[in-house]
Every structure is written in C-alpha cells, then in structure tokens.
Amino acid sequence: MVDFTGCKRIFGKAYNGANGKKIAVEYNGNQYMLKFPPSAKEKPTGLSYTNSCISEHVASSIFNMIGILAQQTFLGTFNVNGKEKIVCACRDFTGDGKVLYDFCSIKNSVIDSVHNGSGTELVDILETIEKQQFVNPVVLLEHFWNVFIVDALLGNFDRHNGNWGFIVNTVSQTAELAPIFDCGSCLLPQADEKVMQNVLENEGELNARIYQFPTSAIKQNGKKINYYDFLLAAEYKECNEALLRIVPKIDIEAISAFVDNVPYISKLQREFYKTYICARYKSIIISAYENVLRQPS
C-alpha cells in the first residue's frame, strides 16, 4: 500500500480523457500516471464511475495474466483536501522518444478511406487495420481480436478508438503495439454495493449483465455489439481463431486468487468481481469457444 501524496509532480506532463482527474508523478525513479476516481457528480456518459480505478488495476492485471501486454498498475492513496482517495498508478510507457498514437489518429491517416477516426463500425475498423502502415496488418488483426475476447470476458463497454493504439519511436522511426491501457470501463465500475448484492443474490440480475449488457463500444450495422450474440454467431474467422488462442490462457482460479489479494476493496466487492468474471467466462467465452470447436474444419 502506497501513499502518493508526497510524490514529486512531473511538470509539463498531462493526460486527456473524461473519466476522472489524472496527474503525473515520480515514484521509485519511474513516471506514473495517477488516475483519480470521478465523483458521483461526474457522469460523462450517464454513469457513475466510482470504482473505475479498481477496474483499471484489476482489468489491466488480468490482461497481463492472460499474456496480452498491458500497462503496469497498482493501487495506492492520495490525500486531496484532507480526504484520502484510492488511486490507480499506471506506469507511463512513453518517453525516450516514444509517443502514443491512438487508433483514432491511425484511422485518420488512411487517406483513401471515407470513414472518420472516431467511428467504431466494425467493418471500418477492419479496413483500417488492413490499410494502415504502422505495424504488420496480420499482427494487428490478431491483437485486435485478442483484446476483443478479453474485453468480452471483463465486460468492457468503452474500448473506443481513442484508448488503444501504437507506440511510435520518433528516434528509430519504428512502431509497435501499445500496452493495453484505459480499462476503467471493465467490471461494471458503476455498480454500488446495492447493485453488487443484487447481482450476487439474484440470478436474473447476473444474467442481465451477461446476456444483455454491457455491450461493446464497437458497432455492427450501426448497433453496439452484444458480446454473447456476436461470439456465438462465430461469423468472423479471425475472431474464432482468437478464441482458440486466448481461452487456453485464461486461468480462472489464478484470476480469483489475484482478486482475493487486491487491496482497498470489501469482501462483497471481491465476491462480486469473482462471480461476475467467472459467470462471463462460462456463459460467454466458454460457450463461444466450444461452439467454434464444433465447427467443421
């Protein structure tokens, strides 16, 4: 457990994004972005993101556990006007000539496309992946679907074009996939203790949060993708291949053990996260995986 209140602030470094305040600090010789939980009054999309810092840390850690490189995070505290707040420290992966280019910027660089950078229609995203010239399109396509599968597991409703992308080294003139970041919209961050209790006690409440919502930020024919329906339809070969790659790497017992050791959260919250992840794993991920295995080769 770390108190970041006395850490040196880094001048000239600032971060955008709607969900909560962010500052840059130095800790143990490294640069970190501290993400603060938005207050109940901050509802940029009509939801309260009071648990978004916890979601950021838990989801980023699970990505790393599955083998998809994500930002390094840990939780700590910061005193603001006499009030202690739980914050998520995200190690800054830029610097030394490395610059983050989000997918929205990359999408805008495809000049022979009629689609704008912020649009999240699936066919437009796939077109950009094929036409962009920053990284190998085959590698990028695999990465996109790998992330989609884990986002489905974690119930991420906001993986838009501005929160994934590439790291460009301006010195060596090379590019690579950026670590996964901005995972605060995973694991139902708007759920308060009453909602958590209802989900744990009422199967219908849990099922609603598996089969109905949250949906993906990515759209198909103008409608946000329902993870369960989309994965069970098995329409995209590359998505099916991602299921076959990712599922054997998901260790639910290890994830549950990790959640048991997350600091600052209540027993109720631990049970909620473990139940929610396990239910989505069995009902969405494993169901889709077994369906793909039954498909003729």
Side-chain angles (χ1 to χ4, degrees), residues 3 73 116 150 159 210:
D3 181 3
T73 64
N116 64 47
V150 182
R159 183 72 68 194
I210 296 172

Side-chain angles (χ1 to χ4, degrees), residues 27-60:
Y27 176 74
N28 280 355
N30 295 306
Q31 183 169 296
Y32 285 85
M33 174 182 69
L34 296 188
K35 298 188 75 170
F36 290 75
S39 68
K41 295 180 181 179
E42 296 179 54
K43 297 183 179 181
T45 60
L47 297 172
S48 173
Y49 293 83
T50 53
N51 291 318
S52 61
C53 288
I54 307 295
S55 295
E56 186 78 53
H57 171 59
V58 174
S60 296

Side-chain angles (χ1 to χ4, degrees), residues 204-225:
E205 292 287 339
L206 176 59
N207 286 340
R209 289 161 177 81
I210 296 172
Y211 301 112
Q212 297 175 28
F213 63 90
T215 55
S216 171
I218 299 169
K219 297 179 180 179
Q220 191 173 33
N221 300 319
K223 183 178 179 181
K224 289 185 176 181
I225 287 174

Side-chain angles (χ1 to χ4, degrees), residues 4-18:
F4 292 101
T5 309
C7 287
K8 177 184 176 182
R9 294 278 293 269
I10 297 176
F11 176 77
K13 187 74 175 182
Y15 307 94
N16 62 10

Side-chain angles (χ1 to χ4, degrees), residues 112-156:
D112 61 343
S113 172
V114 298
H115 311 295
N116 64 47
S118 61
T120 57
E121 190 70 30
L122 178 59
V123 293
D124 301 345
I125 291 173
L126 296 179
E127 178 190 38
T128 299
I129 288 173
E130 181 181 354
K131 290 184 175 181
Q132 58 78 36
Q133 299 179 0
F134 285 75
V135 300
N136 186 319
V138 174
V139 173
L140 182 56
L141 186 62
E142 285 190 1
H143 175 72
F144 170 79
W145 286 118
N146 288 346
V147 173
F148 184 88
I149 300 302
V150 182
D151 277 341
L153 171 68
L154 301 175
N156 191 347

Side-chain angles (χ1 to χ4, degrees), residues 152-181:
L153 171 68
L154 301 175
N156 191 347
F157 60 83
D158 199 33
R159 183 72 68 194
H160 54 74
N161 296 341
N163 59 19
W164 70 284
F166 310 132
I167 295 294
V168 175
N169 190 316
T170 57
V171 176
S172 63
Q173 293 291 293
T174 57
E176 59 185 312
L177 294 169
I180 300 301
F181 62 97

